Amino acid sequence: MQSLNDASIVSLSASEKLSSFDLHTEFILKAEQLLQNYNDGAEAALEAFRLFHPASDKPDFTPQLLDARQVIMLQSMQDQKLSLEWLKKQAKKLLKSVKSKDPVATLRFENTHPKVIQKQRPLDQLTLADAHHVLALENGFSSWPRLKSHLFQMQAAARKVESGAPLDTFRTLHIRCGNDIKPALKDANLVGPFLEVINPFTIGPVLPDRLAPASLSQRSRFIKTFLGPYLDEERLENTTRTLIDEEQTLRNLGDQYDEVVLWFEHDAYDQLCLAYILHHMAQKCPNLPFRLSLVQVDRFPGIKRFVGIGQIGQPEGFALLFSQRMTITPPLISFGATVWEAFTNPTPDALWTLIKEENAPLPLLQNACQRYLAELPSSKNGLGLTENLALEIIAEEEAILARRVFLILLADRDPQPYHGDIMFFAVLDALCTAKEPALKRVGKISDASGPGLDILSLTDFGKKLLSGEANWLNANPTDKWVGGVNINSQLDQNWRYHGSETGPTLV
């Protein structure tokens, strides 16, 4: 279990990692450099395109800046295996680059180093220790010694993995919203069973009694309608059964397990699942029949743009996270359960009050719920944040592939990762097929498979939405749910979101 260690990654609080907004300019500068290097025939640039761009092997491939941005963004989400030797070389390189006024190196110092940010240290007076400090901060640590401590812990975790000895027992249950880390846990010698919770709470109606026939029917129907084009026939047919089985499995957890470990990151999807599970656990308190533990992270050293635990590519990473897991105490269970009850309420007032509560025991859950409420219609144009960000991204290009819109959203635009790919593509579909559409399909990639192959452009109405000259709810019949809150264009008043300071109001 977690000890008091300065280099621990698992935490209840948000880290001081760089946000997507901090990375946006850096990615653009790096893309410009990469494209120039590619055109100059630099081998490293050619290799980067070979690894991260699916069309790079075509004879007529001529990359544009958007292609280079794609490469940079995909690189930023890869797990770079850190070593002390490699980091020391990177620090020397970074210092040399900033001394030569390289724009990317300059931006990295200006984004991270406190004394540079506060204009207390000129760039020409920086030392190697300052470069070490920047690398530590970029990896989510407050100091170079703490980053080094993490590296030593990773080495110790790697030795445990290499030994082949199980880190848990078959009476340890691991729960995650999805199955992305299931193979990785086995590779890390975590032998306990795995339970997947897949109810996509970030979309559609989520009502208090999930097994009530009317509630179950309504949610099942929404998932089938909204995500139907992206789900296989078997999964569609089993939608209702899956929802029932998931609910009953959590209700029936008992002394067949010695420990239940929850694996979640910081985004709204994961955090709502966490609140959902804690609500179940609250029904079993005060005498839980098993130890309840939490692995919760919003960063991982070596991953520039962290969006989820599934990005971790090293078995020792999962072994380390498991060793740092923390006990979920009664106050955490109580707060999570209260958040879930507020989330399923027909008005957002109670949830907003919990978001603003000071010194709450689960601040990452508060952050996620604030991002969630941003899906309420904006007071500007009646669209939620995901829809507005999608329109902004598409507006920057005359036409852009849906997959690229998702990548840009994920890598350097959304303040907090929100939708998975198929949920996001379903949002784009709705913007294309409405009575007064905001988007239009102007082409399609034919030599690839999978979703997100439409090429999209804004309609005139979409441009008016972005400028605030039009309102989605006034132009389109809408029946949208944000948890238990129903947004319906036929109602006289609907909840609107005015920003992180003001919160939601009924208009």
Side-chain angles (χ1 to χ4, degrees):
M1 300 293 282
Q2 188 185 55
S3 60
L4 294 177
N5 191 300
D6 289 340
S8 292
I9 302 166
V10 175
S11 175
L12 293 176
S13 301
S15 69
E16 296 181 1
K17 64 182 177 58
L18 288 175
S19 72
S20 58
F21 297 109
D22 296 320
L23 293 174
H24 178 68
T25 304
E26 181 179 329
F27 287 167
I28 291 175
L29 290 173
K30 282 185 174 181
E32 291 171 349
Q33 289 183 349
L34 178 65
L35 185 60
Q36 182 62 54
N37 292 341
Y38 180 93
N39 291 332
D40 291 342
E43 182 55 39
L46 297 174
E47 179 64 14
F49 273 93
R50 280 195 291 269
L51 289 174
F52 294 104
H53 200 294
S56 62
D57 59 348
K58 295 182 178 180
D60 59 346
F61 179 64
T62 305
Q64 305 299 312
L65 184 58
L66 190 58
D67 297 298
R69 284 182 65 194
Q70 173 177 323
V71 171
I72 293 297
M73 287 185 287
L74 288 172
Q75 282 181 323
S76 77
M77 293 191 286
Q78 292 293 304
D79 186 2
Q80 168 70 56
K81 188 170 184 176
L82 301 179
S83 70
L84 188 56
E85 181 181 358
W86 183 83
L87 284 167
K88 286 180 177 178
K89 290 179 179 178
Q90 291 300 305
K92 291 177 181 178
K93 182 179 178 182
L94 177 60
L95 182 62
K96 182 179 179 180
S97 296
V98 78
K99 295 284 189 181
S100 64
K101 300 182 180 179
D102 175 81
V104 173
T106 299
L107 185 66
R108 288 171 67 185
F109 274 93
E110 292 175 343
N111 271 340
T112 58
H113 199 294
K115 291 188 177 180
V116 175
I117 293 171
Q118 296 167 10
K119 310 295 184 185
Q120 295 176 356
R121 182 165 299 173
L123 294 176
D124 59 4
Q125 294 181 17
L126 294 169
T127 66
L128 187 59
D130 293 309
H132 286 157
H133 192 44
V134 166
L135 289 177
L137 292 169
E138 287 181 335
N139 283 286
F141 295 105
S142 60
S143 69
W144 177 253
R146 291 182 179 182
L147 174 56
K148 289 200 297 183
S149 178
H150 163 75
L151 297 178
F152 297 145
Q153 290 184 51
M154 284 287 282
Q155 291 171 357
R159 289 192 293 270
K160 287 184 179 179
V161 171
E162 289 167 5
S163 75
L167 301 181
D168 63 345
T169 74
F170 290 104
R171 288 178 58 83
T172 302
L173 176 66
H174 300 272
I175 301 181
R176 166 105 174 123
C177 53
N179 61 8
D180 55 337
I181 68 170
K182 185 177 181 180
L185 295 185
K186 290 185 177 180
D187 291 341
N189 300 337
L190 291 163
V191 299
F194 187 89
L195 176 62
E196 179 182 6
V197 176
I198 60 173
N199 199 325
F201 295 122
T202 55
I203 57 173
V206 186
L207 305 179
D209 188 349
R210 291 169 297 281
L211 289 184
S215 174
L216 189 62
S217 172
Q218 188 177 23
R219 179 136 186 87
S220 247
R221 187 168 59 251
F222 173 84
I223 291 173
K224 290 178 181 179
T225 302
F226 192 67
L227 298 180
Y230 301 98
L231 301 179
D232 60 53
E233 187 174 333
E234 181 180 0
R235 189 168 174 184
L236 277 174
E237 289 179 357
N238 292 330
T239 298
T240 303
R241 183 73 257 167
T242 299
L243 296 178
I244 295 172
D245 289 347
E246 184 175 287
E247 186 76 19
Q248 291 179 336
T249 298
L250 289 171
R251 291 185 181 187
N252 294 330
L253 289 182
D255 58 8
Q256 69 268 45
Y257 300 110
D258 296 326
E259 182 176 5
V260 174
V261 185
L262 311 181
W263 294 77
F264 292 111
E265 59 246 12
H266 59 299
D267 64 40
Y269 192 166
D270 280 51
Q271 291 295 309
L272 288 174
C273 280
L274 174 60
Y276 165 66
I277 292 170
L278 294 181
H279 186 259
H280 275 285
M281 298 303 105
Q283 314 310 309
K284 303 176 185 294
C285 282
N287 298 312
L288 274 179
F290 43 73
R291 184 167 65 252
L292 188 62
S293 305
L294 176 65
V295 173
Q296 177 179 254
V297 290
D298 67 347
R299 64 184 172 98
F300 194 84
I303 301 176
K304 185 83 169 179
R305 172 59 167 159
F306 182 83
V307 297
I309 301 175
Q311 291 170 272
I312 301 171
Q314 309 162 65
E316 58 265 37
F318 288 93
L320 178 60
L321 292 178
F322 181 72
S323 73
Q324 294 181 354
R325 71 196 187 280
M326 59 180 61
T327 299
I328 298 181
T329 61
L332 299 184
I333 293 174
S334 177
F335 185 76
T338 303
V339 167
W340 180 259
E341 291 168 0
F343 168 67
T344 60
N345 195 285
T347 71
D349 293 332
L351 189 58
W352 180 252
T353 298
L354 289 167
I355 289 170
K356 291 303 179 181
E357 182 177 318
E358 294 185 3
N359 302 314
L362 288 170
L364 283 177
L365 178 54
Q366 289 177 296
N367 292 347
C369 287
Q370 182 149 312
R371 170 64 183 88
Y372 184 78
L373 284 185
E375 291 301 297
L376 288 169
S378 162
S379 55
K380 173 185 175 182
N381 58 16
L383 292 175
L385 181 58
T386 298
E387 297 158 322
N388 272 308
L389 291 174
L391 295 189
E392 288 174 8
I393 293 167
I394 295 169
E396 293 172 1
E397 309 291 331
E398 289 188 7
I400 183 171
L401 186 67
R403 283 184 180 178
R404 278 187 167 167
V405 181
F406 178 67
L407 175 60
I408 294 171
L409 179 81
L410 193 66
D412 80 346
R413 196 61 58 88
D414 200 326
Q416 185 184 98
Y418 190 78
H419 281 312
D421 55 354
I422 64 170
M423 289 189 285
F424 179 67
F425 296 143
V427 170
L428 296 182
D429 287 343
L431 292 172
C432 287
T433 58
K435 176 185 176 183
E436 187 70 57
L439 298 176
K440 56 185 175 183
R441 299 182 176 98
V442 295
K444 191 178 182 70
I445 300 296
S446 59
D447 57 353
S449 59
L453 297 177
D454 289 319
I455 299 172
L456 304 173
S457 183
L458 289 185
T459 63
D460 289 338
F461 179 66
K463 295 174 183 176
K464 289 180 180 179
L465 286 169
L466 269 185
S467 66
E469 300 174 59
N471 188 284
W472 180 266
L473 296 180
N474 294 340
N476 289 298
T478 301
D479 186 15
K480 174 181 177 178
W481 290 83
V482 179
V485 180
N486 183 216
I487 305 299
N488 195 306
S489 54
Q490 295 183 350
L491 297 175
D492 293 334
Q493 291 182 307
N494 277 292
W495 287 97
R496 303 293 183 100
Y497 189 73
H498 303 278
S500 60
E501 295 303 319
T502 308
T505 58
L506 194 60
V507 178

